[in-house]
Every structure is written in structure tokens, then in C-alpha cells.
Amino acid sequence: MAAPESRGPGADARLDQETARWLRWDKNSLTLEAVKRLIAEGNKEELRKCFGARMEFGTAGLRAPMGPGISCMNDLTIIQTTQGFCRYLEKQFSDLKQKGIVISFDARAHPSSGGSSRRFARLAATTFISQGIPVYLFSDITPTPFVVRALKALEQRLRPSLYLKNFLAIPSRRWNEKAQRKLLTFLIRKCILEF
């Protein structure tokens, strides 16, 4: 997460702009109410933590605590980031809309904000689908090595295969053909929902 912006001249005006924008765009009642509460209390310190700086996409993907504001992971920041990621992938892979993307999730959750890895995976999937990109969404918590193997098994159909877990894209590699068929059969029966 990026360092919060300083409290120099204009910082309060910028904070007011960010919170006003948030109130217009956020559709999650839990995070929306949390921001409204902070504004009503005049809690500028906490608002600066939530809106001081936008999360950054790093080598480990998108990482930040779950909660309200542009500094945290929540419904709105996931949708916005997915939209940007979608534009990037469309430029990198000309056949993205034919091949699709694979999305998985882990067990992390933050009940007070309504956020969870499962919810964020569904929001990301919905965002990709709204752009005409096919999505293969795992139906349950999935360990990373299994997802990588799944991509290898689906390589022929999904070339270029993409792995989206915490917004980390990894190109697929060749894999034993017999193992591919076996895993692909298992995935079709048990794990992947195709939208």
C-alpha cells in the first residue's frame, strides 16, 4: 500500500473530493455506512487512512487490508482495478475474448466490510463478463498450485491462459497430455463454473 498523502495545503480538499466520489460510487452498504460514519464523526485521521493513497499493483498483486476507501480492498476498488486490468489484458492478448480467464480465491474475509476473497472473485468475474470475456471461476477455495495445474490442463482451450488470484497473471506452460486430460475432466465435473 502506498504511503498516505501529507497533510499540507489542499490535503483536506483532496480528502473531501475522494470521500464525495466514494459516496457516489460505492454500492456496498457496509463500506458506504462506514465512510458516512467517519465523516459524521469528523474523524479525519481515519479518513486519511482510508483515502490517503490508492492501493498499488505490485509484484505480489493487489495487496491491502479489506475495508472502506481507495487505500483498502473492497467491492469498489476490486471492480475499478479489474476494469483497468481488463483493458491491459485486451492490449496484451488479441484473443482474450475468445479464450477467457481463470479466477480463483482463498479463504480471506473481513465481515465488518462485507469483503472476502470469494466475493472479490465473483465481482472480478462479473466485471470481465460485462466486457465480453469468458470466465472460468473456481467454485471453492483453491490452493495456488492446483490453479496453476488447472491452467496447464486448460491450455489448449484457453491459450493464452491467465491465472487471476490477487490479480497476478502467469502465462501457462506445456504439461503432460495425459495429466491434462485427467485434470480437465476433474475440473469440468467438480471445480469450475463457466459463465
Side-chain angles (χ1 to χ4, degrees):
M1 181 168 64
E5 194 174 274
S6 67
R7 296 185 198 173
D12 281 345
R14 185 190 160 292
L15 181 62
D16 292 343
Q17 283 180 321
E18 289 292 343
T19 56
R21 195 173 312 150
W22 183 268
L23 295 174
R24 282 194 314 271
W25 292 345
D26 190 15
K27 302 302 179 202
N28 179 320
S29 61
L30 295 173
T31 51
L32 183 63
E33 290 305 316
V35 172
K36 285 181 180 178
R37 187 172 48 257
L38 292 173
I39 292 169
E41 293 169 356
N43 192 340
K44 294 281 188 180
E45 185 69 27
E46 200 59 36
L47 284 167
R48 281 188 194 95
K49 287 180 186 175
C50 296
F51 294 95
R54 184 168 280 284
M55 289 181 294
E56 292 182 4
F57 191 96
T59 56
L62 193 60
R63 303 280 185 184
M66 291 184 201
I70 62 172
S71 298
C72 298
M73 292 188 72
N74 52 64
D75 292 3
L76 185 56
T77 57
I78 293 297
I79 292 167
Q80 290 173 333
T81 303
T82 304
Q83 289 170 340
F85 193 48
C86 183
R87 297 290 82 77
Y88 170 80
L89 293 174
E90 286 175 329
K91 289 178 184 174
Q92 299 301 312
F93 303 101
S94 60
D95 60 351
L96 182 65
K97 290 189 177 184
Q98 290 76 43
K99 302 298 182 182
I101 189 162
V102 175
I103 300 178
S104 70
F105 54 92
D106 58 28
R108 285 178 280 189
H110 187 256
S112 64
S113 71
S116 71
S117 187
R118 180 186 301 263
R119 179 178 177 86
F120 296 159
R122 289 185 176 275
L123 287 169
T126 301
T127 304
F128 278 111
I129 291 165
S130 75
Q131 300 302 306
I133 298 169
V135 172
Y136 298 87
L137 175 64
F138 276 79
S139 60
D140 206 352
I141 296 166
T142 308
T144 301
F146 190 76
V147 176
V148 174
R149 286 190 183 102
L151 287 175
K152 291 175 183 179
L154 295 168
E155 181 178 20
Q156 295 307 310
R157 179 145 184 234
L158 296 178
R159 191 177 294 149
S161 293
L162 296 174
Y163 161 50
L164 177 67
K165 183 171 185 177
N166 300 320
F167 295 92
L168 176 65
I170 302 172
S172 63
R173 295 182 189 92
R174 298 239 175 248
W175 202 42
N176 175 313
E177 191 175 324
K178 183 178 177 185
Q180 283 181 4
R181 283 195 310 271
K182 196 172 186 180
L183 185 56
L184 183 56
T185 301
F186 174 77
L187 291 171
I188 290 169
R189 289 184 184 153
K190 300 284 185 184
C191 297
I192 297 180
L193 302 173
E194 184 177 354
F195 285 82

